[in-house]
Amino acid sequence: MSDLTLTPIAPAESRRPLLGASQAELTEWVQQQGQPGYRGKQLYQWLYERGARSLEEISVFPKQWRSQLADFPIGRSQIHHRAVAPDETVKYLLKLADGQIIETVGIPSDRRLTVCVSSQVGCPMACDFCATGKGGFQRNLERHEIVDQVLTVQEDFQQRVSNIVFMGMGEPLLNTDNVLAAIRCLNEDVGIGARHITVSTVGIPGHIRRLADQQLQITLAVSLHASNQPLRERLIPSAKPYPLADLLEECRTYVQLTGRRVTFEYILLADFNDLPEHAAELAHSLRGFQSHVNLIPYNPISEVDYQRPSPQRVQAFLDALKRHRIAASVRYSRGLEADAACGQLRASKLKASL
Ligand code: SAH
């Protein structure tokens, strides 16, 4: 046995970064540190309203305590790189405590500021059209790392964030615990309405149901991308063990349990899934479903040679769905020129080129 095994190690939980914690949790923590409970409220305000990056800067805390806690992690990242697209979308590469890099996008429009957050470093789903999936998977993000992305964009824009979409790197429902913990914090502590939070998933068996059981008012967006099972399997490896019919069934349960309609995302790939027969097939599957279809014209990535359909083809697909009385709209992604649009996030590659 080496000497090392005898070294006392502080339990991981005791050094868990503070960001993401509720006021009650923070109060408990300050009390564990031998401080009066009201310091929990002060800490809460400094974390979520003043954007404190270290405990040392919290000037209302006693000096001695502050210096003792100087290196206790709050859980903020560093902006490693920032790129602004001509449409004013800003893409951030954020450096985490362990050196991993993730991408976050800030999307301003009129009075809104939407943040596209990552839920994992990389992504294991390996969808054929998505750059993130080409780079492989590193790890799940912790709750503080998700909350931090929103605070970072808010501070950089000097504007309150109004909307959050879990459409950055990663599959949120493979990291459901941390995503739910982050949503709680973003809703209750950062003050973003649940109806302004969207979780986008390719579908993980049982996890849409789990989300439904939470009875949240958030929007569920499901990456469908194909009108039938064989086509979907060609795009999404995880579709094989989770047939389209089962996925739609779970979505129906979501609607029943939450009373919220589901958004179906459908990426349009020219001559692959954008033909009139695909629109008809999709309309048939979704008939009577309380849902909205979001058509996303493919954003090119270098690894594959899918094509984005012409605007006329996109319009024709939209019109066909509407003729079948399916609620639908087209989402032209923002930030294309900065590689910040849907599916283009691949921090590892960018990191290498910096
Ligand atoms: N893993 C989740 C969330 C991340 S992707 C999901 O699959 O839903 C967010 C959205 O961007 C998804 O609908 C995804 O399918 C879409 N997307 C991925 N690559 C894209 C590309 N190249 N062009 C357009 N949309 C893309």
Side-chain angles (χ1 to χ4, degrees), residues 107-136:
I107 310 162
S109 62
D110 301 327
R111 290 206 201 117
R112 291 199 307 194
L113 175 58
T114 300
V115 184
C116 177
V117 296
S118 294
S119 56
Q120 297 182 313
V121 185
C123 184
M125 304 312 289
C127 300
D128 199 34
F129 47 79
C130 179
T132 308
K134 302 289 175 200

Side-chain angles (χ1 to χ4, degrees), residues 246-290:
D246 294 1
L247 171 61
L248 290 177
E249 195 49 46
E250 212 171 315
C251 292
R252 266 199 192 86
T253 308
Y254 185 90
V255 173
Q256 276 162 12
L257 290 178
T258 63
R260 306 271 301 152
R261 74 176 189 186
V262 172
T263 298
F264 289 112
E265 295 162 286
Y266 191 101
I267 186 170
L268 284 170
L269 306 164
D271 297 319
F272 185 88
N273 66 356
D274 71 334
L275 303 176
E277 69 233 43
H278 296 128
E281 198 172 32
L282 181 64
H284 181 75
S285 310
L286 300 183
R287 192 158 295 150
F289 207 122
Q290 212 180 315

